[in-house]
Amino acid sequence: MRTFAKITVAVAGVLALAACGDKGQDVAAQPTPTKTPAPPSVGVPAGQAPSKGKECTAEDIKTTGKFGEVPTITIPDSCDPPKKLLAVDLTKGDGPAAKAGSQLEMNYSLVTWSDKKKLDSSFDRGETFKLVLGQGRVIKGWDQGLVGIKQGTRQLLVIPPDLGYGQGGQGIQPNETLVFVVDAVKVGDPTAP
């Protein structure tokens, strides 16, 4: 009789637990909540940061230094890289203006947008960079952005990937936005045709 009483109490306990379930469902049959990872952002290519919802302007990018001094470039975390070429004079020179065919002598410092690190600097090497504008011997962003720059000008030049290195090269990652501070040390006469 004692064994029967113990079995009856055990069965009653099981039935009581089953009655606690939702609408007669067995408690054990309820799924256990688990953490599901968030789905990847839609429309963001692998290796690219999600959009911050605002495109940066030239005013968002901070620079220091005067013409002839080694500049610093600070890229903000609060906005996305510009999609169009930005060429903004930081210090205006009063020398001749560059046009296609002009012989230029430039100093520059380059910071890459994705990692915000200085990648190259003629200032650090102590030698200027010489080019003939509009000849396709430099990236398109330079050929387009430096048109009109006057000798003695310091300029912020922000170059989107399609006018820079596109899918990468020369130590530049694919789809990289390039941020330059350039000094127009010399703007010479256009070369003869």
Side-chain angles (χ1 to χ4, degrees), residues 96-150:
K99 53 188 170 186
S102 292
Q103 296 182 22
L104 305 181
E105 192 172 328
M106 308 295 291
N107 257 327
Y108 68 89
S109 191
L110 165 62
V111 171
T112 49
W113 192 281
S114 65
D115 61 9
K116 300 171 177 37
K117 291 183 181 175
K118 186 192 301 186
L119 184 66
D120 192 16
S121 174
S122 67
F123 290 98
D124 294 347
R125 287 192 303 276
E127 60 183 56
T128 57
F129 178 75
K130 297 176 183 175
L131 70 137
V132 177
L133 191 61
Q135 301 295 307
R137 295 184 182 163
V138 292
I139 57 176
K140 290 177 185 177
W142 269 49
D143 268 346
Q144 293 175 20
L146 296 177
V147 171
I149 194 170
K150 292 185 174 185

Side-chain angles (χ1 to χ4, degrees), residues 145-191:
L146 296 177
V147 171
I149 194 170
K150 292 185 174 185
Q151 185 171 309
T153 296
R154 171 164 279 194
Q155 187 178 82
L156 174 67
L157 197 54
V158 183
I159 302 175
D162 61 323
L163 297 177
Y165 289 95
Q167 293 305 307
Q170 304 294 322
I172 307 292
Q173 296 296 321
N175 301 311
E176 183 67 76
T177 298
L178 309 174
V179 182
F180 289 91
V181 168
V182 296
D183 284 358
V185 176
K186 184 177 179 184
V187 175
D189 292 329
T191 56

Side-chain angles (χ1 to χ4, degrees), residues 10-80:
V11 169
V14 169
L15 290 173
L17 283 175
C20 291
D22 187 27
K23 297 185 181 179
Q25 292 179 346
D26 189 347
V27 173
Q30 296 295 317
T32 306
T34 59
K35 284 192 172 185
T36 306
S41 298
V42 177
V44 178
Q48 187 175 341
S51 173
K52 296 179 176 73
K54 174 189 171 227
E55 192 171 306
C56 285
T57 65
E59 291 77 27
D60 295 316
I61 301 162
K62 304 301 177 205
T63 64
T64 63
K66 298 176 186 172
F67 183 90
E69 297 176 350
V70 178
T72 60
I73 302 169
T74 305
I75 298 172
D77 290 322
S78 59
C79 48
D80 298 325

